[in-house]
Amino acid sequence: MLIITRVSDTPLVLRVSGDVDITNAGHFVDRILEHAEDAAALTLDLSEMTYFDSTGIAALSRLKHRFGDGLTIIPSPIVRRALEIVGLGDRFLSKR
């Protein structure tokens, strides 16, 4: 199950919880883009994600293409590990 909650409008923060896999990765991107239609920047709070596979990484790549450096990710340990395994930690995760 995938739940997307708007936490803040200015700046736009969306919290996503649940799983992202092949069955819902497209829906994940579509729903986020619906919420962020006019936004120049977006923070995705993924700290409650319980499953995240390569299709989730591909979905984040689509969002990165849309928002560029305006995309900030707050990862769960699962998301962080998935990004680090494929060598994309530097692209998506801040150095804080």
Side-chain angles (χ1 to χ4, degrees):
M1 177 189 257
L2 184 65
I3 300 170
I4 300 173
T5 307
R6 186 181 291 252
V7 176
S8 168
D9 286 328
T10 310
L12 181 58
V13 178
L14 299 177
R15 179 176 297 127
V16 184
S17 59
D19 303 340
V20 173
D21 60 25
I22 196 166
T23 66
N24 65 0
H27 179 70
F28 168 74
V29 172
D30 292 344
R31 294 278 299 149
I32 288 170
L33 292 176
E34 285 173 17
H35 282 284
E37 186 174 354
D38 297 325
L42 169 64
T43 296
L44 276 181
D45 180 350
L46 305 179
S47 62
E48 297 179 9
M49 295 296 302
T50 54
Y51 184 82
F52 195 83
D53 66 9
S54 61
T55 57
I57 293 169
L60 285 184
S61 292
R62 286 181 57 196
L63 294 171
K64 184 70 168 178
H65 179 74
R66 160 64 173 82
F67 292 100
D69 290 338
L71 179 64
T72 302
I73 304 291
I74 302 169
S76 70
I78 289 168
V79 172
R80 177 177 298 281
R81 184 71 179 134
L83 291 170
E84 289 173 347
I85 285 172
V86 297
L88 293 175
D90 289 346
R91 181 170 183 211
F92 289 101
L93 304 174
S94 68
K95 303 290 187 238
R96 327 180 234 179

